[in-house]
Amino acid sequence: MSEAIKYAMGEDRIPHSWYNIVADFPTPPPPVLHPGHGGPIGPDDLAPLFPMALIGQEVSTERHIQIPKPVRDIYRMWRPTPLHRARRLEQALGTTARIFYKYEGVSPAGSHKPNTAVAQAFYNKAEGVTKLSTETGAGQWGSSLAFAGALFGLEVKVFMVKVSYQQKPYRRALMETYGATCVASPSNETEAGRAILAAHPESPGSLGMAISEAVEVAAKNADTKYALGSVLNHVLMHQTVIGIEAIEQMEAADAYPDVVIGCAGGGSNFAGLAFPFIGKKLRDKRDVRVIAVEPAACPSLTRGTYAFDFGDTAHMTPLVKMHTLGSEFVPPGFHAGGLRYHGMAPLVSHCKELGLIEARAYHQNPCFEAGVLFARNEGIVPAPESTHAVRAAIDEALKAREEGKSPTILFNLSGHGHFDMQAYTDYFAGKLRDQDYDPKELEASLAHLPKLAAE
Amino acid sequence: MSEAIKYAMGEDRIPHSWYNIVADFPTPPPPVLHPGHGGPIGPDDLAPLFPMALIGQEVSTERHIQIPKPVRDIYRMWRPTPLHRARRLEQALGTTARIFYKYEGVSPAGSHKPNTAVAQAFYNKAEGVTKLSTETGAGQWGSSLAFAGALFGLEVKVFMVKVSYQQKPYRRALMETYGATCVASPSNETEAGRAILAAHPESPGSLGMAISEAVEVAAKNADTKYALGSVLNHVLMHQTVIGIEAIEQMEAADAYPDVVIGCAGGGSNFAGLAFPFIGKKLRDKRDVRVIAVEPAACPSLTRGTYAFDFGDTAHMTPLVKMHTLGSEFVPPGFHAGGLRYHGMAPLVSHCKELGLIEARAYHQNPCFEAGVLFARNEGIVPAPESTHAVRAAIDEALKAREEGKSPTILFNLSGHGHFDMQAYTDYFAGKLRDQDYDPKELEASLAHLPKLAAE
């Protein structure tokens, strides 16, 4: 019976600025291209979708961007989040490794997503926007934007992937409790949705489809802007409060990670923890292995193509260069967690191309096995997404035991699983299948990657 | 847009001892009586059910009882819990009152219940117990004991009120993820359960029935002890960490409450916040109004009889003097939240008799209305139980506005509602009924109060 070890910090230690990794890259990331003419996109092209402050952040090369006081004031509701040493888990594994985790599930919405939701709501409000439209898959992002919208008095409309909408009524109820409107996507409310329903009436939906619907609503309504919960540069940057705090907390623990791990769907919680450590590696030559973990059912980093692609199914978004499974890729419906986006954040993809990060893919049963072991030792039930990071941390710790080494491992426990207990029930009942994506579907999807004049 | 105000404290400020209100009562509470002979009960009578350390705490008159280091070390996972100033809610109400709340939902199980679950698991483990049996209604307690059992390596068996078992599969999944076994009560596993099922095959269950089953399992198995999540003296005492921390945090906020509010089912979260303040009132003449809020569907404090009664349906427990609706009382099935126990904790009942606390009862719709207003302003979705405290705090704040006064109000936000979103969905759909208990059922139940030779 070892003691719980938590490295808490006072509110005065909440970071005063976000970290922009672009400032430290040895080579700049590729430009964003216009979906129509294929040339580089300008701020005016993005203005119908985003407030100018966020567009400025999207293209900024400044290393530090100040966190506005009202945003930092709301962060105080749950930040700094705790860093824990997983001593009980270490003992259960009999490992010589030290395992630390940063726990983002203490936010009111239960995950890391409010870090950017609050920032996005603030900048939109500041520029006079009154309504936000967005998409959500498993529901973590939609409920976080609903939370932020409530605090800033913004109307929030969420297009929720239909299969999740049906399977996760509690997530929908959470959004509605915060005052947001939640619609199953594909819906009849948009041209994009109607087109999909006409072709595939039984479509279970996908993030790509839901993004098309949410973007369309923003593009067609002057009072509405669009908000994205991952992928974009400014979204990842808002999440860097996680890693900035973790560096200081690790110092308080007299430690520095040899390995940093995060699960990766669009890439935001992974980047939030990892980028500040990668920055130290680039600037201070402080060595660190960084591992992105994705589901084998939706393996953009490990099986995707690095190419310019659309962010959505209806091809309304700009083209970004990323590891992609193709915008028409729909992951198998049996997959229990989130992490279902067809592409990886351009900045994470760039890190992969530069050799700054590793990637691996896991099937879901070993992840839930890890999640249960974690819950019974550390007391926190991880979100299905987060179990991917737990699994990788455990595997690294077991490898260390075999090799007789004592590395320090740090992973991001991005959220709790309280809204996802059905997935645990299915796991215990042996109902979760460990199946890869369909290779034929991947091939077909990749065949539709946009052909660019420049390539 | 006002800032979030949180009064956090370092881990070094976790209390080193629990507070025992019995030391400060002007008159001692009534004794506990033996269910067989009706005379005062002795430690040996309780030994089959509880470890000696907890029996000692149950009858202690010491003011302070030290928190064992292993318990305090686990408290560090989530304690000290934050105290928040509800500035946004104040502004939404246009009140001149100051509203503070202590938030216990940051624990891994999402409520205050782990404060005692961890302590009870520790003392049982220390005395060689390997299995615990318990009951749960809405599921907050069962999942908290499952959490504590996992951390101390104890097998936990939970008898869950059948209607909750069916309506709240996520709670059951949480207990199972922590490694506990969860059975719908009444069950076929005990004599008590079989007797109830024989008489009422369709029984939805009640806390009193589930207690009978859990007590029977402990009484019949030498390796198993029983754990209760509320009502008993030692349980309430373990919760006083809430109020002890709150006093220090209020001081940091340069404030002291004029009114202290908690919801009350068995009474543990209410007592946890209120008793340290009542203690200051008794010792230091520091004036404070204390309000216990209960559901109109199960109104033990406001409509019950103050009498010796059994804690369970099968009359296996000792007799305690409390405000009771009779051990056969079953609250209406339409009631959405917890707070469904037929009796009130003897120490809380004693406070009521001494005039140290007030009590009021609310219907559920106004409580959910308050919960939604709270969520949209403060960002946290309260557990259905906790919405009763929110409602009372709002009513006090509105009264202050009318009277032109500026009281300081403190309430206990005992847990989050993430496992109870169906109740919010039902509220939005207009499906929650505001109905009192059935007076005939109350009359019939009270007619069966035990007749004591001494009375």
Side-chain angles (χ1 to χ4, degrees):
Chain A
M1 189 62 218
S2 70
E3 58 187 303
I5 303 190
K6 182 178 71 174
Y7 297 92
M9 292 194 296
E11 290 173 29
D12 56 316
R13 305 310 305 157
I14 295 172
H16 287 269
S17 54
W18 294 298
Y19 166 63
N20 181 8
I21 195 171
V22 173
D24 288 322
F25 277 141
T27 56
V32 175
L33 304 182
H34 193 281
H37 55 65
I41 207 163
D44 289 351
D45 296 313
L46 295 171
L49 297 186
F50 302 105
M52 288 312 293
L54 291 178
I55 294 171
Q57 292 180 3
E58 189 65 20
V59 298
S60 171
T61 54
E62 295 292 316
R63 181 172 289 121
H64 303 290
I65 292 183
Q66 199 179 4
I67 302 175
K69 184 172 181 303
V71 173
R72 204 165 167 274
D73 279 340
I74 293 181
Y75 280 174
R76 290 170 67 196
M77 288 178 69
W78 72 94
R79 305 208 70 86
T81 61
L83 177 83
H84 293 265
R85 170 96 181 261
R87 279 283 275 272
R88 285 192 186 74
L89 180 64
E90 291 171 15
Q91 290 176 343
L93 296 171
T95 181
T96 43
R98 289 192 296 177
I99 305 176
F100 292 85
Y101 61 95
K102 180 78 167 162
Y103 183 42
E104 290 291 309
V106 291
S107 81
S111 79
H112 65 294
K113 294 288 189 189
N115 294 331
T116 183
V118 169
Q120 293 188 50
F122 165 78
Y123 288 115
N124 275 284
K125 179 78 175 182
E127 296 187 24
V129 176
T130 58
K131 298 180 186 173
L132 292 176
S133 70
T134 196
E135 72 293 323
T136 199
Q140 299 270 26
W141 168 243
S143 41
S144 298
L145 193 69
F147 157 77
L151 296 184
F152 285 95
L154 293 165
E155 278 184 45
V156 174
K157 177 153 200 161
V158 182
F159 291 89
M160 186 171 187
V161 174
K162 190 173 279 176
V163 61
S164 286
Y165 183 91
Q166 291 162 343
Q167 287 175 356
K168 299 195 168 187
Y170 279 26
R171 275 284 175 199
R172 201 165 79 229
L174 180 59
M175 294 181 231
E176 289 169 358
T177 300
Y178 284 134
T181 309
C182 185
V183 181
S185 168
S187 79
N188 274 311
E189 298 198 11
T190 65
E191 282 182 33
R194 287 188 292 270
I196 295 161
L197 287 173
H200 307 285
E202 301 301 316
S203 170
S206 72
L207 271 176
M209 294 175 197
I211 291 173
S212 293
E213 294 205 88
V215 166
E216 182 182 325
V217 168
K220 287 186 174 171
N221 294 282
D223 61 353
T224 305
K225 299 275 186 209
Y226 169 68
L228 189 66
S230 189
V231 179
L232 298 178
N233 299 2
H234 68 272
V235 179
L236 273 56
M237 188 186 72
H238 297 157
Q239 294 293 354
T240 57
V241 288
I242 303 171
I244 296 168
E245 288 178 6
I247 286 174
E248 184 169 337
Q249 288 164 314
M250 290 296 282
E251 278 168 11
D254 251 334
Y256 194 83
D258 300 295
V259 189
V260 171
I261 296 168
C263 65
S268 78
N269 95 74
F270 166 76
L273 178 65
F275 280 6
F277 287 97
I278 296 175
K280 280 180 82 76
K281 180 175 182 170
L282 290 168
R283 290 190 313 276
D284 310 337
K285 312 293 173 210
R286 188 90 200 233
D287 199 30
V288 66
R289 278 176 67 210
V290 179
I291 306 173
V293 191
E294 59 186 12
C298 193
S300 58
L301 266 181
T302 53
R303 301 291 183 97
T305 298
Y306 186 56
F308 278 97
D309 196 7
F310 293 99
D312 71 323
T313 309
H315 298 180
M316 302 171 70
T317 71
L319 291 160
V320 294
K321 195 158 187 183
M322 60 182 177
H323 290 85
T324 179
L325 302 163
S327 64
E328 293 176 20
F329 180 83
V330 178
F334 60 81
H335 179 58
L339 312 180
R340 297 169 63 89
Y341 189 58
H342 68 272
M344 183 53 64
L347 292 181
V348 173
S349 293
H350 193 57
C351 284
K352 179 76 164 33
E353 291 300 302
L354 291 174
L356 293 169
I357 65 169
E358 306 167 25
R360 67 175 68 163
Y362 282 122
H363 284 121
Q364 58 187 347
N365 276 302
C367 292
F368 277 94
E369 180 194 22
V372 171
L373 184 68
F374 185 85
R376 292 183 184 176
N377 284 283
E378 296 295 318
I380 300 168
V381 177
E385 297 82 358
S386 314
T387 62
H388 291 74
V390 178
R391 176 78 258 174
I394 287 176
D395 284 357
E396 289 295 315
L398 292 176
K399 193 180 71 170
R401 187 181 67 180
E402 280 171 29
E403 295 175 348
K405 293 182 178 169
S406 304
T408 297
I409 299 165
L410 168 65
F411 74 91
N412 197 3
L413 190 68
S414 56
H416 66 59
H418 293 180
F419 290 97
D420 304 283
M421 296 311 298
Q422 186 59 47
Y424 280 88
T425 300
D426 291 346
Y427 165 69
F428 287 123
K431 286 186 188 168
L432 296 186
R433 289 161 60 202
D434 279 345
Q435 194 176 312
D436 284 340
Y437 61 92
D438 180 343
K440 280 185 189 160
E441 174 161 4
L442 177 57
E443 195 182 339
S445 176
L446 288 176
H448 289 99
L449 281 180
K451 306 289 180 286
L452 296 176
E455 288 192 309
Chain B
M1 189 60 220
S2 71
E3 60 186 300
I5 302 189
K6 183 178 71 176
Y7 297 92
M9 291 195 298
E11 290 172 29
D12 56 316
R13 304 310 305 156
I14 295 172
H16 287 270
S17 54
W18 294 297
Y19 167 64
N20 182 9
I21 195 171
V22 172
D24 288 321
F25 277 140
T27 56
V32 176
L33 304 183
H34 193 281
H37 55 66
I41 207 163
D44 289 350
D45 296 313
L46 295 171
L49 297 186
F50 302 105
M52 287 312 292
L54 291 178
I55 293 171
Q57 292 180 4
E58 190 64 19
V59 298
S60 171
T61 55
E62 295 293 315
R63 182 173 288 120
H64 302 289
I65 292 183
Q66 199 179 1
I67 303 175
K69 184 172 181 304
V71 173
R72 206 166 167 274
D73 280 339
I74 293 181
Y75 281 175
R76 290 170 66 195
M77 288 179 70
W78 72 94
R79 304 210 71 85
T81 60
L83 177 84
H84 293 264
R85 169 96 182 260
R87 280 283 274 273
R88 284 192 186 73
L89 180 64
E90 291 171 16
Q91 291 176 343
L93 296 171
T95 181
T96 43
R98 288 191 296 177
I99 306 175
F100 292 84
Y101 60 95
K102 180 79 168 161
Y103 182 41
E104 290 292 308
V106 292
S107 82
S111 79
H112 66 293
K113 293 288 188 189
N115 295 332
T116 183
V118 169
Q120 293 189 48
F122 166 78
Y123 287 115
N124 275 286
K125 179 79 175 182
E127 296 187 23
V129 176
T130 57
K131 299 179 186 173
L132 292 176
S133 70
T134 194
E135 72 293 323
T136 199
Q140 299 271 24
W141 168 245
S143 41
S144 297
L145 193 68
F147 157 78
L151 296 185
F152 284 95
L154 293 166
E155 278 184 46
V156 175
K157 178 152 202 161
V158 182
F159 290 89
M160 187 171 188
V161 175
K162 190 173 278 177
V163 60
S164 286
Y165 183 91
Q166 290 162 342
Q167 288 173 355
K168 299 197 168 186
Y170 279 26
R171 275 286 174 197
R172 203 166 75 227
L174 180 60
M175 293 181 233
E176 289 169 356
T177 300
Y178 283 134
T181 309
C182 185
V183 181
S185 168
S187 79
N188 274 312
E189 299 198 9
T190 64
E191 281 182 33
R194 286 188 293 270
I196 295 160
L197 287 173
H200 307 284
E202 302 300 315
S203 170
S206 72
L207 272 174
M209 294 175 198
I211 292 173
S212 292
E213 294 206 89
V215 166
E216 181 182 325
V217 168
K220 287 187 174 170
N221 294 281
D223 61 353
T224 306
K225 299 276 185 205
Y226 169 67
L228 188 65
S230 190
V231 179
L232 298 179
N233 299 2
H234 68 271
V235 179
L236 273 56
M237 188 187 71
H238 297 156
Q239 294 294 353
T240 57
V241 288
I242 303 171
I244 296 168
E245 287 179 5
I247 287 174
E248 183 168 339
Q249 288 165 313
M250 291 295 282
E251 277 168 11
D254 250 335
Y256 194 84
D258 299 295
V259 188
V260 171
I261 297 168
C263 66
S268 78
N269 96 76
F270 166 76
L273 177 65
F275 279 6
F277 287 96
I278 296 174
K280 281 179 83 76
K281 180 175 180 170
L282 289 169
R283 290 191 310 276
D284 310 336
K285 313 292 172 209
R286 188 90 199 232
D287 199 31
V288 65
R289 277 178 66 211
V290 179
I291 307 173
V293 191
E294 59 186 12
C298 193
S300 58
L301 266 181
T302 53
R303 302 289 186 97
T305 297
Y306 186 55
F308 279 96
D309 195 8
F310 293 99
D312 72 323
T313 309
H315 298 180
M316 302 170 71
T317 71
L319 291 160
V320 294
K321 195 159 188 183
M322 59 182 177
H323 290 86
T324 179
L325 302 164
S327 64
E328 292 177 20
F329 181 84
V330 178
F334 61 79
H335 176 57
L339 312 179
R340 298 169 66 92
Y341 189 58
H342 69 272
M344 183 54 63
L347 292 181
V348 173
S349 293
H350 192 58
C351 283
K352 179 77 165 32
E353 291 301 301
L354 292 173
L356 294 168
I357 64 170
E358 306 167 26
R360 66 175 69 163
Y362 283 122
H363 284 120
Q364 56 187 347
N365 277 300
C367 292
F368 277 95
E369 180 193 23
V372 171
L373 184 68
F374 185 84
R376 292 182 184 175
N377 283 283
E378 295 296 318
I380 299 168
V381 178
E385 298 82 11
S386 314
T387 63
H388 291 74
V390 178
R391 176 79 259 171
I394 288 175
D395 284 357
E396 289 295 314
L398 292 176
K399 192 181 71 170
R401 186 181 66 180
E402 281 171 28
E403 295 175 349
K405 294 182 179 169
S406 303
T408 297
I409 300 165
L410 168 65
F411 74 91
N412 197 3
L413 190 67
S414 56
H416 65 60
H418 293 179
F419 290 96
D420 305 282
M421 296 311 299
Q422 186 59 45
Y424 279 88
T425 301
D426 291 345
Y427 166 69
F428 287 123
K431 287 185 187 168
L432 296 185
R433 289 158 61 197
D434 279 344
Q435 196 175 314
D436 283 341
Y437 59 93
D438 181 342
K440 281 185 189 159
E441 174 162 3
L442 176 58
E443 195 182 338
S445 176
L446 287 176
H448 289 99
L449 280 180
K451 307 288 179 288
L452 296 176
E455 287 191 311

